[in-house]
Amino acid sequence: MPFFKDVFKRSRFLQIFWMLHLSPPPTQVPQIAFVSRGQKVRNVVSYIDAKCRELFIPGRDICIDESTVGFKGRIIFKCYNPQKPTKWGMRVFVLADCETGYVTAIVPYFGSPTTDSLLRPDMPFSSRIVLHLCETLLQTTNGHGFHLFTDRFYTGYDLAMELLKIKIHLTGTVMANRRGLPAPVKQGLKLKKNESVSFSKDNNVMVLGWKDKRLVLMLSTFHGSDCEKVQRTIKRGEIQELEKPSVICDYTSKMGAVDRADHYCASYAFTRKSLKWWRKMFFWLLEVAIVNSAILFNLMKVESGQLPVRHKTFRKDLLVQLVGNVRNPGSRKRGRPSSTDREERLNEKPHFIAKNEGKSTKDCAVCSDRKTKGGRRETVWFCRTCSRQPGLHPGDCFERYHTMDTYR
């Protein structure tokens, strides 16, 4: 790939990489050296987080899920999630638009400092992080009527009631032991396959249980208990038609926005190995910025009646535009020098012969032939005017080389 070495020398890139810092060093060291865990990336996170909401307002359907920034170093807030493709790393809570996968708000998790900075300390952490992200979105958009999708780690009756107060509907899977659910749900529902049952509480919250291969519990303040017909392909390509609750169909189609954004970030990732966690976080933020810009670019293409571009094509075009006309002045081609020096040796200008001061010799470019036994001819004389500085015997060889097209 000659493009990269023509733009940057490897030593120059590593110099910039080693000197990369995200925050200025402190002017004076306090007597008690206490540094917040997220202080190094605070400025970059807040800037990109605000820019994401400034440039795009999500649609009605939004979802909240956690993303993992891969890192196996020694940090106290490292998390493990066996259900994620990247199991070890730093956890980031993400709010994304369901239709496009655009990342709208992010909150990195740094342990207890993050927990203490959230609203509503009387509620569990899983509810507080959702309320924090929703409040951040509402402060920027000044809107209401969003429909939020969450998984069972966040969903609960208390959270649904709090979201209704700020005019946000909630739909998500829920665990049976959550507080506020109907008693039959906590005791355990015994249903047959493709059978469903629903409960209503306070005329605002609907809890539904549906059994397919296993029991699925849903909680929603937006949907009812209505069902719709869907088709499923079973063994040997047979099509099976069954009744499925609409809330589950809607949840399945809308919940994967954060996973889609993670997929885009990991497809052409440029993250490099590092022992510094804040570098990993910085590269992940750059990936999020690139993915969001690609989504906005395609939205503008569709609005103007053009076809959207592929994600890989967008990254290549972005790379070329960012580099521009910058080239490495010291770049040179590797390998042996070119033997096509006809214009230089036949330019009818004075050429000067010189002698190697040391004991090193060169093969004569005119009379030496290594392919023939005993045909090698060495000399200490060479033409110092030609860029190749070929070895040449004084006299006939020197004259033939600089006057004849075919000198051998």
Side-chain angles (χ1 to χ4, degrees):
M1 299 294 290
F3 173 80
F4 298 101
K5 72 178 185 62
D6 290 343
V7 175
F8 251 112
K9 292 176 63 176
R10 181 176 181 270
S11 58
R12 176 61 175 164
F13 174 80
L14 292 178
Q15 183 185 27
I16 297 176
F17 181 73
W18 292 332
M19 300 301 174
L20 174 65
H21 285 276
L22 306 184
S23 60
T27 56
Q28 56 183 3
V29 181
Q31 296 181 353
I32 302 177
F34 175 77
V35 180
S36 174
R37 293 174 185 172
Q39 183 176 358
K40 286 185 177 292
V41 297
R42 182 183 303 161
N43 295 334
V44 180
V45 170
S46 59
Y47 177 79
I48 294 182
D49 180 49
K51 278 294 181 182
C52 290
R53 292 186 299 277
E54 178 183 340
L55 301 175
F56 179 77
I57 298 177
R60 184 194 67 178
D61 298 327
I62 55 177
C63 73
I64 291 178
D65 203 352
E66 63 268 9
S67 180
T68 304
V69 181
F71 185 72
K72 290 187 177 181
R74 298 180 62 180
I75 50 174
I76 196 172
F77 49 90
K78 180 175 61 178
C79 301
Y80 175 73
N81 190 346
Q83 298 178 354
K84 291 289 183 180
T86 306
K87 297 175 175 55
W88 290 96
M90 297 167 285
R91 182 173 298 175
V92 183
F93 297 97
V94 179
L95 186 149
D97 178 47
C98 291
E99 183 179 357
T100 61
Y102 183 91
V103 175
T104 308
I106 54 177
V107 175
Y109 179 71
F110 300 116
S112 56
T114 303
T115 306
D116 297 339
S117 64
L118 299 177
L119 304 172
R120 299 298 301 274
D122 57 315
M123 300 187 70
F125 171 78
S126 58
S127 300
R128 296 170 64 185
I129 191 67
V130 173
L131 292 175
H132 176 79
L133 289 170
C134 291
E135 288 287 351
T136 304
L137 175 63
L138 295 180
Q139 290 176 4
T140 307
T141 60
N142 295 323
H144 60 273
F146 290 103
H147 185 193
L148 175 64
F149 293 86
T150 57
D151 59 19
R152 62 178 189 168
F153 177 75
Y154 309 95
T155 311
Y157 174 78
D158 296 335
L159 175 62
M161 299 306 296
E162 291 295 329
L163 290 175
L164 281 179
K165 294 179 182 179
I166 55 177
K167 300 181 181 180
I168 293 180
H169 296 283
L170 175 67
T171 296
T173 55
V174 63
M175 289 185 283
N177 59 354
R178 291 289 189 181
R179 186 173 59 182
L181 296 184
V185 176
K186 291 189 174 183
Q187 295 172 2
L189 298 175
K190 297 182 180 180
L191 303 176
K192 299 179 180 179
K193 189 173 183 180
N194 296 332
E195 184 181 1
S196 63
V197 61
S198 61
F199 304 89
S200 178
K201 189 169 183 180
D202 300 333
N203 295 325
N204 291 322
V205 181
M206 187 273 300
V207 180
L208 180 139
W210 181 68
K211 186 173 183 181
D212 185 20
K213 293 183 180 179
R214 60 181 181 85
L215 182 63
V216 179
L217 295 178
M218 301 292 299
L219 184 145
S220 178
T221 60
F222 184 85
H223 288 279
S225 59
D226 53 324
C227 297
E228 59 184 64
K229 292 184 178 181
V230 297
Q231 291 183 346
R232 175 185 297 172
T233 303
I234 56 177
K235 294 181 180 179
R236 299 177 182 177
E238 298 180 5
I239 303 298
Q240 180 186 18
E241 192 174 86
L242 68 151
E243 294 280 340
K244 193 173 182 179
S246 300
V247 59
I248 295 181
C249 296
D250 196 22
Y251 175 83
T252 305
S253 62
K254 302 292 178 59
M255 186 54 202
V258 177
D259 293 335
R260 195 189 324 161
D262 288 341
H263 171 71
Y264 286 144
C265 290
S267 297
Y268 309 101
F270 52 81
T271 305
R272 299 179 61 86
K273 289 184 178 181
S274 177
L275 296 176
K276 304 295 184 181
W277 66 266
W278 50 267
R279 284 183 180 171
K280 290 281 190 175
M281 183 68 69
F282 173 70
F283 286 129
W284 181 83
L285 292 171
L286 286 183
E287 291 284 356
V288 170
I290 293 175
V291 170
N292 281 354
S293 60
I295 292 173
L296 295 179
F297 182 78
N298 281 331
L299 288 177
M300 295 179 62
K301 282 274 190 180
V302 173
E303 288 182 359
S304 60
Q306 304 178 21
L307 294 176
V309 299
R310 297 182 62 185
H311 186 64
K312 183 178 180 180
T313 305
F314 175 82
R315 281 184 178 257
K316 285 186 175 181
D317 295 342
L318 177 64
L319 176 63
V320 172
Q321 292 181 13
L322 289 177
V323 170
N325 297 325
V326 177
R327 292 295 182 270
N328 179 21
S331 64
R332 60 180 181 86
K333 294 184 178 180
R334 292 187 177 183
R336 299 177 62 184
S338 175
S339 59
T340 58
D341 54 356
R342 182 177 178 277
E343 295 182 359
E344 184 181 29
R345 63 185 178 84
L346 301 178
N347 56 8
E348 298 181 357
K349 294 182 179 181
H351 287 257
F352 301 96
I353 196 168
K355 183 179 180 181
N356 283 327
E357 297 297 336
K359 296 182 179 181
S360 61
T361 61
K362 292 184 177 182
D363 286 7
C364 180
V366 177
C367 63
S368 181
D369 185 11
R370 290 198 177 196
K371 296 182 180 180
T372 304
K373 186 176 181 180
R376 184 178 181 184
R377 301 288 185 272
E378 295 180 292
T379 177
V380 295
W381 299 91
F382 65 95
C383 178
R384 68 180 184 184
T385 307
C386 296
S387 59
R388 292 179 57 209
Q389 296 185 348
L392 296 169
H393 287 109
D396 185 54
C397 291
F398 188 85
E399 181 181 355
R400 287 172 61 88
Y401 183 81
H402 291 102
T403 57
M404 300 178 63
D405 190 4
T406 305
Y407 54 84
R408 293 185 66 88

